[in-house]
């Protein structure tokens, strides 16, 4: 039988100077998506935050296969979280949650070294010296 | 099938923004093969030329771009005369119709970009006819949609959506770039594609707007700047 909805699991990276808790991110995403898509848009393009690794700032978001590009555009248009300039970058898209989790774990390792340098660069000089 | 190569045709180096090295590293991280760097003051472009070699070592090709923001047609012509032979891409910010018309006619211009507030009035039928003849690119900067209120964002998306559909109908090439000066405003190629698709509703044009079209523009301009170039289709292959 053909599935009515094919789900996609979007692995994303939060680019923000803030250390966000899972609940903060969930609330920020809900607020942004509601503002961008509206009630009608959300009913057509449902999404759910499945997992968020606060240490590596990597998360997994579930959405319908047909909504993938809309969700990607909506995430790209997010420019601030809790008033701080931030961005969400989609790293990979997977068809199963299991595979998304294993890919996210591999990405976390890869990002650890590379991202530290980029994140240090985006901090204000005062923040950089404090760190 | 060869791997698609992505281009960000507009990354700005400003005093308030991040350092060029950081912007290049971020572009590499996001998956771009080529970025065009521009300075606020086009006459300081020589500073960027050393960066090209360092960027090549990182695996990113950098093109030098001049962004012109003239207040009058005569100012635009003066800048074009001075800069055309020294940069790979020239973009003109068309804040009003008089500058937009001259930019659309002039062969030395590569890309035109607009103020989101009045894109629909400047990019009218007359402007589209001129652009269709000259083949200049119409550029959308992603940063225009950021750091704004939801109402303003919605209006900007609507205006650009309408304008770009007109542009695509006329066969005018479109480029979707970040227009960012900070790494936090840069977006990955697939994210720029998602926005292009959102605005254009055409998968192929949206895909080309972040890959083949801007790549082709830079390739052609580099060919024109090479000493062997005579005219399109004619180049010096040997001398005796």
């Amino acid at each position: 039988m053909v599935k009515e909805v094919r789900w996609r699991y979007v692995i994303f990276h939060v680019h923000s100077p803030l250390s966000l808790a899972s609940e903060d991110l969930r609330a920020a995403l809900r607020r942004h998506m509601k503002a961008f898509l509206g009630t009608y848009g959300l009913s057509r393009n449902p999404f759910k935050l499945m997992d968020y690794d606060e240490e590596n700032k990597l998360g997994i978001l579930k959405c319908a296969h047909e909504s993938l590009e809309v969700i990607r555009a909506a995430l790209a248009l997010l420019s601030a979280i809790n008033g701080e300039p931030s961005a969400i970058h989609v790293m990979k898209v997977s068809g199963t949650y299991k595979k998304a989790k294993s890919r996210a774990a591999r990405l976390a390792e890869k990002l650890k070294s590379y991202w530290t340098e980029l994140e240090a660069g985006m901090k204000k000089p005062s923040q950089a010296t404090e760190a | 099938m060869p791997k698609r190569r992505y281009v960000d045709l507009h990354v700005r180096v400003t005093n308030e923004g991040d350092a060029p090295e950081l912007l290049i590293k971020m572009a590499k991280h996001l998956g771009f093969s080529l970025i065009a760097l521009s300075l606020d003051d086009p006459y300081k472009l020589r500073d960027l030329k050393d960066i090209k070699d360092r960027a090549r070592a990182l695996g990113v090709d950098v093109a030098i771009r001049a962004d012109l923001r003239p207040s009058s047609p005569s100012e635009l012509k003066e800048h074009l005369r001075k800069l055309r032979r020294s940069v790979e891409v020239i973009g003109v910010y068309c804040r009003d119709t008089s500058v937009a018309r001259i930019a659309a006619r002039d062969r030395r211009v590569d890309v035109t970009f607009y103020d989101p507030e009045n894109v629909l009035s400047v990019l009218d039928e007359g402007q589209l006819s001129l652009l269709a003849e000259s083949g200049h690119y119409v550029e959308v900067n992603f940063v225009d949609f950021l750091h704004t209120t939801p109402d303003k964002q919605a209006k900007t998306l609507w205006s650009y959506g309408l304008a770009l559909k007109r542009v695509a109908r006329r066969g005018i090439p479109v480029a979707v770039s970040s227009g960012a000066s900070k790494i936090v405003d840069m977006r990955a190629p697939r994210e720029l594609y998602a926005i292009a698709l959102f605005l254009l509703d055409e998968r192929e044009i949206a895909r080309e707007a972040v890959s083949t079209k801007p790549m082709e523009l830079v390739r052609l301009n580099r060919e024109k700047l090479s000493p062997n170039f005579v005219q399109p289709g004619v180049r010096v292959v040997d001398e005796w």
Side-chain angles (χ1 to χ4, degrees):
Chain A
M1 202 175 92
V2 182
K3 283 184 184 173
E4 273 186 339
V5 183
R6 282 184 285 157
W7 296 106
R8 289 291 177 266
Y9 297 87
V10 177
I11 306 166
F12 64 87
H13 182 220
V14 180
H15 180 176
S16 170
L18 301 170
S19 302
L20 288 166
S22 184
E23 279 313 306
D24 295 338
L25 180 70
R26 196 183 303 269
L29 274 177
R30 202 179 299 136
R31 232 182 355 258
H32 171 70
M33 291 297 204
K34 186 79 192 288
F36 181 65
L37 297 168
T39 311
Y40 174 76
L42 276 178
S43 72
R44 295 268 161 172
N45 308 289
F47 78 96
K48 186 182 174 187
L49 180 65
M50 301 291 287
D51 192 17
Y52 180 62
D53 173 1
E54 291 166 21
E55 191 192 335
N56 296 307
K57 296 184 176 180
L58 278 172
I60 300 173
L61 193 133
K62 180 184 177 182
C63 69
H65 155 255
E66 286 177 350
S67 313
L68 184 61
E69 294 305 333
V70 176
I71 295 291
R72 206 193 283 262
L75 290 177
L77 285 167
L78 188 145
S79 57
I81 297 176
N82 297 344
E84 280 291 327
S86 309
I88 291 184
H89 296 296
V90 173
M91 307 292 292
K92 292 271 179 206
V93 178
S94 171
T96 64
Y97 184 49
K98 190 179 166 187
K99 203 166 177 183
K101 272 178 89 170
S102 73
R103 274 187 176 181
R106 256 181 288 154
L107 271 172
E109 283 301 310
K110 203 174 148 191
L111 276 173
K112 238 173 215 169
S113 57
Y114 197 81
W115 194 254
T116 321
E117 195 183 355
L118 279 170
E119 209 157 49
M122 73 170 272
K123 280 183 183 164
K124 292 166 195 158
S126 57
Q127 287 174 316
T129 45
E130 275 167 32
Chain B
M1 204 171 148
K3 199 179 162 195
R4 192 176 283 270
R5 297 173 71 214
Y6 293 99
V7 181
D8 189 346
L9 203 59
H10 198 189
V11 179
R12 293 163 54 226
V13 178
T14 61
N15 292 336
E16 300 83 39
D18 290 324
E21 284 87 356
L22 205 61
L23 294 168
I24 293 165
K25 277 182 188 167
M26 187 64 179
K28 170 77 181 166
H29 169 69
L30 294 174
F32 287 104
S33 304
L34 190 152
I35 61 168
L37 284 181
S38 75
L39 273 179
D40 270 356
D41 181 358
Y43 294 98
K44 284 184 185 165
L45 285 169
R46 226 164 266 165
D47 301 349
L48 287 179
K49 292 202 170 152
D50 315 331
I51 290 168
K52 282 186 106 170
D53 297 328
R54 276 180 273 161
R56 204 165 292 131
L58 283 170
V60 181
D61 192 359
V62 168
I64 306 292
R65 166 176 168 147
D67 273 347
L68 305 180
R69 294 169 186 269
S71 50
S72 66
S74 56
E75 195 186 329
L76 170 64
K77 284 181 179 172
E78 194 190 324
H79 283 312
L80 287 171
R81 196 171 55 245
K82 286 179 184 165
L83 289 166
R84 181 64 271 190
R85 296 295 301 171
S86 54
V87 292
E88 287 151 313
V89 182
I90 287 191
V92 178
Y93 175 64
C94 303
R95 78 180 81 211
D96 57 43
T97 316
S98 61
V99 170
R101 293 289 195 268
I102 298 294
R105 276 196 201 104
D106 203 305
R107 288 180 59 197
R108 293 168 293 185
V109 175
D110 299 312
V111 174
T112 55
F113 57 106
Y114 302 84
D115 180 359
E117 292 281 317
N118 64 2
V119 63
L120 281 176
S121 58
V122 177
L123 209 53
D124 57 5
E125 285 302 315
Q127 180 74 3
L128 289 173
S129 303
L130 290 172
L131 287 170
E133 266 176 48
S134 61
H136 294 346
Y137 284 57
V138 170
E139 186 180 59
V140 180
N141 287 303
F142 191 86
V143 81
D144 289 344
F145 305 113
L146 300 178
H147 310 296
T148 179
T149 60
D151 288 346
K152 220 169 175 187
Q153 195 179 54
K155 194 178 171 225
T156 309
L157 283 167
W158 185 80
S159 307
Y160 266 124
L162 212 59
L164 285 190
K165 277 175 197 133
R166 289 179 191 166
V167 166
R169 264 201 303 275
R170 294 288 196 114
I172 300 163
V174 178
V176 178
S177 317
S178 69
S181 59
K182 293 178 180 172
I183 59 171
V184 75
D185 291 340
M186 290 177 83
R187 292 294 181 272
R190 290 297 299 259
E191 289 159 359
L192 295 181
Y193 161 74
I195 275 294
L197 183 64
F198 198 81
L199 297 171
L200 283 156
D201 276 339
E202 298 249 6
R203 281 185 187 274
E204 199 47 42
I205 300 176
R207 201 167 287 135
E208 285 176 352
V210 291
S211 56
T212 48
K213 291 283 180 187
M215 187 67 88
E216 178 65 14
L217 172 70
V218 175
R219 190 195 62 77
L220 205 70
N221 282 356
R222 282 182 174 167
E223 197 182 306
K224 282 181 187 173
L225 288 172
S226 86
N228 294 336
F229 179 80
V230 180
Q231 66 177 65
V234 184
R235 65 188 172 95
V236 178
V237 288
D238 200 5
E239 287 182 51
W240 69 89

